[in-house]
Amino acid sequence: IKNPAILLLDEATSALDNESETKILDFLTRADCGRTVITIAHRLSSVRTVDRIIGIKDGRVVEQGTPHELIEAKGLYYQLLQVLGEKDPVDEVNTQNERRCLSKQQHNFLTNDYHQVINNDNTEKDSNGLSANKSQLYRLFRAIVKLCKNDILIFVGIVFMSILYVCCLLARPFTSANLQNLIIEKSYYSHDRDFAFWAGLIILTAICISLSFIIKLLMQSIAEENLLLRIQQRSLAEILRQEVGWFDEPAHNIGNLCSLMMIDAENVKKIPGAIFGSWVFTSLAFTVMITFGLWFQWKLALAIGVMNIVFFLSYYAKEKLDRQILLQRDTADTRANNLAIEAIRNVPTVVSQHIQHLISDKYNKLLGATNGYANMLIHKRALAVASADAFCFLALTIATSYGGYLMSCNELNYIEFQTINSLLINNMWEVIIAFSSIPSFSKACTSAIRLVELFDRKPLNDPSESAGIQLSTAIRPKIEFCDVGFSYPTSPTDKILNHFNLVIDRGEKVAFIGASGCGKTTCVQLLQRFYDPIDGKVTLNGYDVRSFNISFLRSLIGYVPQEPVLFSRSIGENIAYGNNERKIEIYEIIEAAKTANIHEFITSLQEGYDTLIGARGVELSGGQKQRVAIARALVKKPKILLLDEATSALDNDSEKAVQQSLEKVMKDRTCIIVAHRLSTIQNADKIVVFSQGKIVEIGSPQQLLATKGTYYELLHAQSHKELN
């Protein structure tokens, strides 16, 4: 679409079925005119029309020339052709990787439509704008109490320190008023004991106020950090126990889940502090101070109390506007964060398409989406803040003036006046502190509701449950698909499998082939219980797989996907992750690596099996990552081996070596092979040809060739391509 002068094709047709690849290659041949084109290819059928082939080995160019020249030179290119010839007259048939069967989190950014990513307005329903009803609040506080039950002594200490702090606040105005009264009415030198007494009380009160406040804050911080740790631990555990279909939903993308674990957890930790450290304390202080004020002189206390109510209302309006502004910004920030995470995670694609400025513009637009509305609220907020501050000073003025009037009428003495005035001034500031926590508390409640929904959700299949059938580890599996119907949760109207029936006998090697979206990978996922059938059932030795203990079921299965996912750990650790039921010894890791034809490469590295491979295995090539994934599947010595186009990313030499190894490990195992190349399934006991969620052909390779049906046509088409 950008009409480039240079076109780079990195295995561009590797995931296409045979028919689609032929069309794409014909189109690319026409599109090559006037362009410089570099093609990276493992499949020689895709480079038959190039002007020059460059053979690379061990990081060096070993030969280059036209296809005809390289065949005559009998070098690397010729040897690869010979390898192909040793495999089968027909090199390969691409039966497209069934991408729709991958969860949305496994899709590469490159497969997304560029303009859809740029213009996506994130139509997810944001729960920030939803008000929490009583039922939600009840669930929220019940969940918080459960998480905080181990810190009950800390919260008791916080309440005790709050009570001590309030008592000291009550004592401070009274002691200060008495000392000031002595200074006004009496001589310091004639009443030194009285002066020393009240001055000592003031010092003691100040010490108690400081210590109680410091200890309260310290205990509050400890409780908050403990709560944050528990929330983050629980969040990850709950996310990982959800079924695969849950991650297909747009609301559960990586950005939102990371935000849930980090930002929402950080918000929620403030709830106990707001309740016990601020609101309980402020409510206690407010009640006690008003009671004492009315007891000392009800007229003055009542006058100041009325002004305080007006002040409270103004401050409440300001905090309510603050909450609306925060909620609007939080919505925009969530959308912007999702875009930023997606762009950063796929920097190579962003850079290669030169869309940095468009990503930045979209990001800035999302951040500034609420500016107009926020500015309007800010004007109202400024009015509310000004009103609150004005009423604060007005209350002080009225208290002083009216107190002076009552003193002139002999209804109030100086000690009572100063005590009441100080109590009510302290009361105002404590209420201000409480109100200042409202926006954080409201945001924390919204975050807590999202977390509680996650914590309370029961997954459709829970791998952490101990219930379910567990057979002998010496089981020889027989698999049967019985009238299975299935559609993905995000597309319930699109049937992937429809009245699908298939029996795979013990120790049988079965290959699945077919066009895009026909249900091959879906069958593999149903067997592992990534999803459950809508109709029918999948059985293992006569038992419905839904009745098995999930951990036991998956311990029987070794799975190698087309796009392997490796962790940012060492190579040895990544292989050992294949079996977490026990500690995997290094000799077992080495044995699996040798079988997968990756041992020699690993030992050539300086750190060997301790070599770190970076995030998502960025330090390894595609073929190396695939072989590590194969070793990971083999280390558990599975009874069922699932190979979902497992050799698709390997060059011909590596594929031949790995295929020979796989032939060994597939003996005495029930195997399902989703075929990427027909050369990898020539030794299969049975080939199943899919079309639109149904089986159109089934039989041994020889039987299907004899019937001259779909399999024969695919084989013939690939043979014709290679001959060309």
Side-chain angles (χ1 to χ4, degrees), residues 366-596:
L366 289 173
L367 289 179
T370 58
N371 273 359
Y373 180 71
N375 287 338
M376 180 183 68
L377 293 180
I378 286 172
H379 287 94
K380 295 181 180 179
R381 178 184 180 278
L383 179 62
V385 172
S387 300
D389 291 344
F391 281 119
C392 178
F393 289 110
L394 182 61
L396 293 176
T397 303
I398 291 176
T400 303
S401 301
Y402 189 59
Y405 168 76
L406 292 176
M407 288 179 65
S408 67
C409 297
N410 294 322
E411 295 185 29
L412 187 71
N413 60 41
Y414 179 80
I415 294 176
E416 292 173 337
F417 166 73
Q418 191 64 25
T419 300
I420 294 172
N421 200 29
S422 297
L423 283 174
L424 295 180
I425 289 174
N426 288 338
N427 186 54
M428 281 193 299
W429 291 119
E430 296 305 330
V431 171
I432 288 174
I433 293 173
F435 271 118
S436 66
S437 67
I438 289 179
S440 297
F441 181 75
S442 300
K443 196 171 183 179
C445 286
T446 303
S447 296
I449 290 170
R450 287 196 287 265
L451 286 166
V452 169
E453 288 175 352
L454 172 64
F455 294 167
D456 289 348
R457 186 183 187 277
K458 182 175 178 59
L460 299 180
N461 45 61
D462 188 354
S464 64
E465 289 185 353
S466 58
I469 299 173
Q470 298 189 48
L471 303 178
S472 168
T473 55
I475 179 177
R476 297 192 67 221
K478 177 182 178 181
I479 303 166
E480 186 172 358
F481 293 83
C482 305
D483 202 32
V484 172
F486 179 76
S487 58
Y488 285 93
T490 52
S491 302
T493 58
D494 297 333
K495 277 281 188 179
I496 303 299
L497 296 177
N498 192 17
H499 299 292
F500 181 83
N501 292 279
L502 176 66
V503 176
I504 301 175
D505 290 324
R506 295 174 176 86
E508 194 171 33
K509 297 192 289 292
V510 179
F512 291 169
I513 67 172
S516 171
C518 61
K520 305 184 300 297
T521 301
T522 299
C523 292
V524 170
Q525 293 177 332
L526 291 177
L527 179 59
Q528 298 177 88
R529 287 205 68 194
F530 289 174
Y531 303 91
D532 286 332
I534 296 175
D535 303 311
K537 62 182 179 179
V538 181
T539 66
L540 184 65
N541 284 12
Y543 297 96
D544 192 326
V545 293
R546 287 172 288 198
S547 64
F548 278 91
N549 176 275
I550 295 181
S551 296
F552 171 77
L553 174 66
R554 292 174 181 169
S555 71
L556 300 175
I557 300 172
Y559 176 51
V560 183
Q562 183 191 19
E563 298 180 10
V565 177
L566 302 182
F567 300 97
S568 183
R569 296 290 185 269
S570 69
I571 295 177
E573 287 176 302
N574 271 280
I575 295 175
Y577 283 156
N579 189 348
N580 294 304
E581 297 179 350
R582 58 185 178 84
K583 182 180 178 181
I584 304 299
E585 301 297 336
I586 186 63
Y587 73 87
E588 297 178 272
I589 296 174
I590 293 174
E591 180 183 350
K594 286 180 177 179
T595 304

